[in-house]
Amino acid sequence: MGSVKSDHMPNHTSSYNNNPLDPEEFRRQGHMIIDFLADYYRDVETYPVLSQVEPGYLRKLLPESTPKNPEPIETILHDVKKHIVPGLTHWQSPNFFAYFQCTSSIAGFLGEMLSTGFNVVGFSWIASPAATELETIVVDWLGDMLQLPKSFLFSGNGGGVLQGTTCEAVLCTIVAARDQILSKIGRENLIKLVVYTSDQTHSAIQKAAQIAGIHPMNVRAIKTSKSTSYALSPVSLRAQICEDVQAGLVPLFLCATVGTTSTAAIDPLESLCAVAKDYGMWVHVDAAYAGSACICPEFRHFINGVEGANSFSLNAHKWFLTTLDCCCLWVKDPSALIKSLSTNPEYLRNKATDSKQVVDYKDWQITLSRRFRSLKLWFVLRSYGVDNLRSFMRNHVKLAKLFEERVDMDKRFEIVVPKIFAMVCFRILPSALSETVYKNGKLGIVSEELANEANRKLLESINMSGCVFMTHAVVEGVYVIRFAVGATLVEERHVITAWEMVQKHADFMLSTWKVRPLLSVDFKNFVQTVPILL
């Protein structure tokens, strides 16, 4: 097949091919990219895991405008290595213990390549039948692995869809729940609808509620506590709902979480669903992080009670070797999504859709266009199989246990919440700081506020070293350091090195901890000495 050539195209360059998809040039450049990435993965742990650049660094390094003439791939890749790589925080580094990881794998990468290569837009069945049908198959495969009730699967009366992220999944379900209830009570009552979460629920729920038109004052983040391991209490939920009903409001939606961001807390699904059922509420289970682990029999009980929910989602890109983005959403009643999200313009009409015998995924999501995401999930499921996927996650849980044991042996630190999956929440104890103060010749009582500041400084110091990257959370006013194990390349040696880095920076911080009396309090008959970190 020929291609159009402009009379104004310069003939002096060999870096431009008139055919943007010339097979041989594609092969040549593709091999270069694969080699580049293979080297990147080989060397990734040698880079500072947290980027060390300053804001605005890249604009100073790159030209102010697009080049007039084409540039060869060799030059572009050189600049990627020189300018782009230093500005990356390396999520695939085995020293990355922050947030929740975004795992990768050869299978996930190759599936993504195929998806990008085919570049189909599977908004309806007829737009690419394989894209739709493979998606219905893989979501049922994964649903079976999780032992989800048949009511969530295409093989039952429900079905699944691959969204981009949890934010999209939650928004779709809130919109479906909203329209269901408003069809009964009238759209003028939108202002009365209430969404319920815990104070540990991801902020995605608040954003989704806002987009869906729920008044911000009607999003209830119910307080949790350490006594319940930061899980949402059914008693507290019912009390809040009763208060809202008495005020003339309408309970709409509950988001329960399996593996919260701050502490990996697990909400009690069965009892929460029972409360929600009494009020006719939609229940969505957000298992973005921990849902993947529930393919392991020893973790499956954490989603017991899911049969009482209306929808369930997890992020395969978090802990399932599938590259970003890939959020799996299952619903019991697909028609609820379709009624809220479908549009049927004449230019999209076709016999397959009119037959009502096919799935048109455009009606299950916010956008019209969609990527062929199921390819990469299919590659992962087939390439590794259930047993290897379970082993992958179990190894991370084991490594997190190793780190937890190290923390537990150092009496200067405490585990703030019990580890369940592969994340450890810990901090330096206020008492460790008090002891340091006392050794310097003064009686020091360190407040929680100052202990928080010490832990913040410790984390900042560790991260700026470039050797390890962790993030934090604040629970009940306590600043905790989160150590999340989940990188594809992580090994025991990386976990041990990370703990040694924590100890090294803690030793230095405590050795430079100075004190001076700032305020005296008589009612307790002691002098409070406020430590200042220099």
Side-chain angles (χ1 to χ4, degrees):
M1 180 181 294
S3 54
V4 178
K5 180 174 179 176
S6 168
D7 292 336
H8 303 290
M9 185 62 64
N11 294 318
H12 62 271
T13 177
S14 61
S15 62
Y16 179 81
N17 189 308
N18 291 330
N19 180 359
L21 283 176
D22 175 77
E24 293 310 313
E25 187 62 18
F26 182 31
R27 192 186 316 278
R28 184 184 77 86
Q29 295 190 28
H31 285 162
M32 292 178 67
I33 294 292
I34 292 290
D35 286 343
F36 180 91
L37 285 172
D39 289 345
Y40 172 76
Y41 286 130
R42 180 196 63 200
D43 302 332
V44 67
E45 69 177 282
T46 66
Y47 298 121
V49 60
L50 180 63
S51 176
Q52 305 294 297
V53 301
E54 296 294 330
Y57 89 101
L58 193 56
R59 188 167 291 277
K60 300 173 184 176
L61 299 174
L62 297 184
E64 292 184 358
S65 59
T66 307
K68 180 179 180 181
N69 296 315
E71 298 180 351
I73 185 66
E74 291 84 356
T75 300
I76 299 170
L77 275 178
H78 174 269
D79 285 351
V80 168
K81 186 171 185 179
K82 185 177 180 181
H83 302 317
I84 302 301
V85 171
L88 297 178
T89 290
H90 298 282
W91 283 68
Q92 301 311 311
S93 170
N95 298 310
F96 186 103
F97 300 101
Y99 310 113
F100 287 126
Q101 284 79 353
C102 187
T103 52
S104 187
S105 65
I106 295 172
F109 179 79
L110 295 179
E112 185 71 69
M113 281 181 64
L114 272 183
S115 175
T116 301
F118 291 143
N119 203 26
V120 300
V121 185
F123 49 76
S124 62
W125 179 87
I126 199 170
S128 272
T132 294
E133 297 197 10
L134 184 61
E135 189 159 335
T136 64
I137 291 167
V138 296
V139 291
D140 267 11
W141 280 10
L142 184 51
D144 280 334
M145 292 166 64
L146 291 162
Q147 298 178 43
L148 290 181
K150 280 284 187 181
S151 55
F152 280 106
L153 308 181
F154 283 107
S155 56
N157 297 316
V161 56
L162 299 181
Q163 305 274 0
T165 66
T166 298
C167 299
E168 298 168 51
V170 171
L171 176 56
C172 289
T173 54
I174 286 185
V175 167
R178 177 200 66 189
D179 290 350
Q180 271 191 342
I181 194 70
L182 291 181
S183 68
K184 299 174 184 176
I185 67 174
R187 299 196 71 85
E188 68 276 8
N189 289 301
L190 175 62
I191 193 66
K192 296 181 180 180
L193 302 184
V194 185
V195 169
Y196 299 87
T197 72
S198 84
D199 60 359
Q200 301 301 305
T201 304
H202 195 279
S203 61
I205 186 73
Q206 185 175 4
K207 185 173 185 177
Q210 180 177 328
I211 295 172
I214 308 301
H215 196 288
M217 295 295 290
N218 285 358
V219 178
R220 306 280 185 256
I222 299 170
K223 184 174 174 55
T224 60
S225 68
K226 191 171 183 177
S227 62
T228 60
S229 297
Y230 301 105
L232 176 57
S233 162
V235 174
S236 298
L237 173 64
R238 187 180 292 276
Q240 182 62 65
I241 293 174
C242 288
E243 183 180 325
D244 290 333
V245 170
Q246 289 172 5
L249 300 176
V250 179
L252 170 69
F253 189 95
L254 166 66
C255 183
T257 308
V258 177
T260 61
T261 300
S262 294
T263 63
I266 300 165
D267 291 336
L269 301 187
E270 189 169 4
S271 51
L272 290 173
C273 287
V275 174
K277 184 178 180 181
D278 290 344
Y279 298 91
M281 297 167 59
W282 183 296
V283 179
H284 176 72
V285 177
D286 171 13
Y289 162 60
S292 297
C294 294
I295 68 168
C296 301
E298 64 269 30
F299 294 122
R300 172 57 180 78
H301 67 279
F302 289 123
I303 59 171
N304 285 352
V306 69
E307 59 274 8
N310 300 81
S311 52
F312 175 90
S313 66
L314 64 81
N315 286 350
H317 57 251
K318 273 192 166 63
W319 205 6
F320 211 74
L321 292 174
T322 307
T323 53
L324 186 74
D325 52 4
C326 190
C327 173
C328 309
L329 169 66
W330 291 267
V331 290
K332 279 184 176 177
D333 182 11
S335 68
L337 288 182
I338 294 168
K339 288 175 184 176
S340 293
L341 302 173
S342 65
T343 54
N344 296 290
E346 181 62 32
Y347 50 79
L348 293 183
R349 289 195 61 186
N350 61 85
K351 288 183 179 179
T353 295
D354 291 344
S355 74
K356 309 287 187 188
Q357 295 179 355
V358 299
V359 173
D360 285 342
Y361 273 126
K362 69 180 179 61
D363 300 330
W364 294 53
Q365 61 178 30
I366 303 300
T367 62
L368 171 67
S369 299
R370 63 196 323 270
R371 300 174 62 246
F372 195 171
R373 293 189 184 96
S374 57
L375 262 179
K376 58 187 174 184
L377 183 54
W378 188 51
F379 264 54
V380 168
L381 294 174
R382 293 188 62 188
S383 296
Y384 304 115
V386 178
D387 288 347
N388 283 329
L389 288 166
R390 286 172 176 165
S391 295
F392 174 72
M393 285 175 272
R394 284 169 174 158
N395 183 54
H396 288 167
V397 173
K398 179 182 176 182
L399 293 177
K401 180 65 176 176
L402 175 68
F403 188 87
E404 180 186 44
E405 289 170 350
R406 296 288 196 281
V407 175
D408 204 40
M409 287 189 292
D410 190 327
K411 299 308 176 185
R412 299 172 300 176
F413 293 85
E414 72 166 337
I415 304 295
V416 179
V417 291
K419 182 196 72 64
I420 300 174
F421 299 105
M423 184 174 74
V424 180
C425 294
F426 69 103
R427 68 166 182 161
I428 284 184
L429 282 162
S431 60
L433 302 169
S434 297
E435 289 171 6
T436 302
V437 173
Y438 182 76
K439 288 175 183 176
N440 282 323
K442 296 181 182 292
L443 174 62
I445 298 176
V446 177
S447 68
E448 286 290 349
E449 181 180 357
L450 291 167
N452 285 349
E453 178 65 9
N455 280 282
R456 186 185 69 79
K457 289 288 188 182
L458 173 62
L459 179 59
E460 184 179 274
S461 172
I462 293 169
N463 286 342
M464 291 310 296
S465 73
C467 299
V468 178
F469 182 35
M470 297 179 287
T471 48
H472 77 282
V474 177
V475 287
E476 286 194 295
V478 175
Y479 186 104
V480 300
I481 301 173
R482 299 168 65 263
F483 182 83
V485 180
T488 306
L489 298 171
V490 68
E491 299 174 9
E492 181 175 311
R493 62 187 175 90
H494 301 111
V495 172
I496 292 173
T497 297
W499 173 241
E500 290 173 349
M501 287 295 298
V502 171
Q503 287 188 306
K504 175 183 175 182
H505 284 264
D507 289 343
F508 179 79
M509 186 186 75
L510 294 176
S511 70
T512 56
W513 190 265
K514 306 295 182 182
V515 297
R516 59 187 173 92
L518 287 185
L519 87 115
S520 187
V521 253
D522 297 331
F523 61 89
K524 292 271 188 176
N525 295 318
F526 62 80
V527 174
Q528 181 174 4
T529 305
V530 182
I532 304 296
L533 185 62
L534 299 181

